[in-house]
Amino acid sequence: MNRKYMLTAILSVLLVAAGCDRLEQWFGKNKNGQGFVKEIPAGTDGNSNQVAMLLPDFTRLVDQQGPAVVNIQATRNNRNIDNEAGPDALPDNDPFYEYFKRLLPNVPQTPQANDDEYNFGSGFIISKDGYILTNTHVVNGMNNIKVLLNDKREFQAKLIGADAQSDVALLKINADELPVVELGNPEELKVGEWVAAIGAPFGFDNSVTAGIVSAKGRSLPEENYTPFIQTDVAINPGNSGGPLFNLKGQVVGINSQIYSRSGGFMGISFAIPIDVAMNVAEQLKTSGKVQRGRLGVVIQEVNYNLAKSFGLDKANGALITQVIAGGPAAKAGLLSGDIVQSVNGDELKNSSDLPVKVGLLPPGKQIVLGIWRKGQKEEIKVTLDNVSPVANPASSASSTIMPTDGTSFAEHRLGLVLKATAQGLIIEDISGLAAQVDLRRGDIIIAVGQKLVHDEKDFDNAVAASGKNVPLLIRRANNTLFIAMMLP
């Protein structure tokens, strides 16, 4: 034991004597704006298995950027939040009564009734003259918006505009020389990187939480135009609209949503990339509305089997399953079965990248799509039009099956029994290989690859031309999708 302590003491002296400058670099000097912490890089000192382990210190970030984070309280019909909430809503014998009484007015409590008439959240100042970003769901439908600054000043805010699709809202308060956040580049953010959030969870203003980036480019249901940043930063009701910072003290996202089965934080939260938010904010500021480019296609993800069936070396891009009649894609000559691999030279890793990249561009913009068609790369120019609320494009197609006078026929190698209809070949029975993939009775086979099939001869020829990897385009109810069959 004595020897152990002696070695520890000697090591400590050596570190202090020889490593003071390095320690200062880690914790203090922030030279050349390189961030608040210099992490120990992985794989140094000849050890390729070494992992960076130094934990960051967010104190300077909070000191420098915290004053630009605000607390937002929004009500309907000019209701007074402070008069409706607080310790008076608790029984006198409640153990938290005195606690909340001392904290007020800084910690508003949720009203006991009519919660739909009261919202609270966070935001951050992006200009010295009082423009503030937050979430649409914080202020949507509210006509009395109050902003509380870090220095305890309060302002009534004007809603400049709100975009439900991106969940970004722009507010304005009448003030000058306000502290503002510094904006970063979400493209430079890496999975595993430390990030921090400042906000007002449950009304507890100026609360700081930290974690890491869990994933980038997440696509959520009904959120086609936002490549969310997924983190494990603790986000709770009241954090919505607050900033997500990187270690340089730059805002890289707006905290927007959580995944939860309990209503509280469960380790998965999502932030809107700041470049997407600022694009929306600029449009709201100049015109009060947001316009997004539209391509006019329905797409699906390219998995490994589909990639092989279309002759690709790797699974990437967006597979077009339907081209909307009269849309930009149809006018440019795009087809079902085309795989969009790039937009203006930028590679698409996932299908969700396509609507994001197109949606960031204005209507009327001409773009160049790199596509994969029939085993070859091509480039097609498309002029975008404007996204407008329309019904599901597939819903206009009738799902009524009109049988012909033909008889059913069996494709034993595939395990299918098919019958010709006016819409395609309906699957009457499945077995063998067909039962091992996601084919179902009642599905209608429209095409094999990019070749339409109407009868047994069409189908046999198209399957033979496909070789051992057969991509089937099917219609299921009002949806179209490709399913790959891999023949032995």
Side-chain angles (χ1 to χ4, degrees):
M1 293 298 291
N2 292 334
R3 182 181 180 185
K4 178 180 179 181
Y5 290 143
M6 183 177 297
L7 288 174
T8 302
I10 293 172
L11 180 61
S12 299
V13 171
L14 290 174
L15 284 173
V16 171
C20 288
D21 290 340
R22 190 172 182 183
L23 289 174
E24 277 189 344
Q25 290 178 357
W26 289 343
F27 291 106
K29 291 190 176 180
N30 189 24
K31 294 180 180 179
N32 302 321
Q34 293 301 310
F36 299 110
V37 177
K38 182 175 181 180
E39 300 181 55
I40 301 173
T44 58
D45 300 328
N47 182 5
S48 61
N49 296 321
Q50 179 177 317
V51 178
M53 294 185 295
L54 184 64
L55 296 178
D57 181 357
F58 293 104
T59 55
R60 187 178 301 171
L61 183 155
V62 175
D63 289 342
Q64 294 183 1
Q65 303 299 322
V69 182
V70 303
N71 188 358
I72 296 173
Q73 298 176 358
T75 60
R76 188 178 289 116
N77 299 325
N78 295 318
R79 295 171 60 193
N80 190 321
I81 300 172
D82 293 334
N83 290 339
E84 293 190 17
D88 292 338
L90 297 172
D92 291 348
N93 60 353
D94 191 289
F96 287 99
Y97 177 84
E98 288 296 330
Y99 174 72
F100 285 120
K101 185 176 181 179
R102 289 193 300 270
L103 282 178
L104 281 177
N106 296 329
V107 183
Q109 300 303 301
T110 306
Q112 298 297 309
N114 299 324
D115 286 349
D116 60 337
E117 296 185 4
Y118 166 69
N119 279 337
F120 63 95
S122 305
F124 52 96
I125 305 169
I126 59 173
S127 69
K128 291 186 176 182
D129 59 347
Y131 282 98
I132 295 171
L133 279 185
T134 187
N135 284 147
T136 294
H137 73 261
V138 172
V139 297
N140 189 38
M142 303 296 171
N143 53 20
N144 181 34
I145 304 171
K146 185 167 68 173
V147 172
L148 291 78
L149 302 189
N150 186 269
D151 60 9
K152 308 304 179 184
R153 285 185 291 169
E154 299 181 3
F155 294 89
Q156 289 298 125
K158 178 183 178 181
L159 179 60
I160 301 301
D163 178 51
Q165 183 73 57
S166 64
D167 197 23
V168 173
L170 182 66
L171 306 179
K172 177 70 168 66
I173 60 175
N174 291 324
D176 295 312
E177 298 304 317
L178 294 171
V180 298
V181 297
E182 181 182 350
L183 303 182
N185 183 3
E187 291 294 326
E188 297 176 356
L189 200 63
K190 297 181 179 179
V191 174
E193 182 176 337
W194 280 95
V195 284
I198 304 178
F202 300 107
F204 292 91
D205 55 352
N206 306 317
S207 297
V208 184
T209 54
I212 63 169
V213 177
S214 304
K216 292 178 61 179
R218 287 294 193 209
S219 179
L220 302 181
E222 308 301 326
E223 300 285 354
N224 295 330
Y225 298 101
T226 304
F228 285 96
I229 303 168
Q230 180 187 330
T231 75
D232 67 353
V233 178
I235 300 297
N236 286 290
N239 277 114
S240 292
L244 182 73
F245 292 99
N246 62 15
L247 281 182
K248 295 180 181 179
Q250 300 169 331
V251 175
V252 290
I254 304 179
N255 297 308
S256 176
Q257 300 184 40
I258 61 173
Y259 175 82
S260 176
R261 294 180 177 178
S262 65
F265 177 68
M266 293 184 67
I268 301 177
S269 54
F270 300 97
I272 304 162
I274 193 61
D275 55 345
V276 174
M278 290 303 296
N279 178 283
V280 171
E282 280 299 317
Q283 294 189 60
L284 292 174
K285 184 178 179 181
T286 56
S287 65
K289 62 180 180 180
V290 178
Q291 291 186 314
R292 295 180 174 86
R294 182 184 78 114
L295 188 57
V297 294
V298 179
I299 60 174
Q300 77 176 83
E301 191 70 34
V302 180
N303 60 31
Y304 175 75
N305 286 342
L306 282 172
K308 289 186 65 176
S309 68
F310 281 98
L312 288 172
D313 294 331
K314 59 181 181 179
N316 63 357
L319 174 57
I320 297 176
T321 63
Q322 184 179 353
V323 178
I324 309 305
K331 294 176 182 177
L334 286 169
L335 303 172
S336 295
D338 286 344
I339 297 176
V340 182
Q341 296 182 307
S342 65
V343 177
N344 291 335
D346 293 335
E347 181 184 356
L348 303 181
K349 294 182 179 180
N350 304 298
S351 63
S352 58
D353 294 341
L354 180 59
V356 170
K357 291 184 180 296
V358 171
L360 287 173
L361 300 172
K365 178 79 172 180
Q366 187 181 77
I367 61 174
V368 178
L369 298 180
I371 69 167
W372 180 263
R373 176 185 290 175
K374 296 181 179 179
Q376 295 183 336
K377 291 185 176 182
E378 297 184 22
E379 288 189 347
I380 294 182
K381 295 181 179 179
V382 184
T383 300
L384 305 176
D385 69 5
N386 189 25
V387 171
S388 57
V390 295
N392 183 347
S395 64
S396 58
S398 171
S399 58
T400 303
I401 300 172
M402 301 297 294
T404 65
D405 293 334
T407 58
S408 300
F409 61 94
E411 293 289 338
H412 296 293
R413 190 166 62 136
L414 301 179
L416 292 170
V417 177
L418 306 173
K419 187 172 184 178
T421 71
Q423 294 185 341
L425 305 178
I426 184 171
I427 298 178
E428 293 188 326
D429 197 12
I430 58 174
S431 61
L433 288 177
Q436 299 175 22
V437 297
D438 189 28
L439 288 172
R440 307 174 188 175
R441 293 181 181 87
D443 287 347
I444 301 173
I445 300 176
I446 303 171
V448 177
Q450 293 184 299
K451 181 174 177 57
L452 296 176
V453 291
H454 304 284
D455 51 34
E456 182 176 4
K457 182 179 179 181
D458 288 345
F459 187 79
D460 288 342
N461 291 338
V463 170
S466 298
K468 292 187 176 183
N469 305 312
V470 183
L472 301 178
L473 177 61
I474 69 167
R475 177 175 296 134
R476 179 176 295 161
N478 290 328
N479 299 311
T480 54
L481 69 154
F482 276 96
I483 294 177
M485 295 193 69
M486 315 305 288
L487 302 181

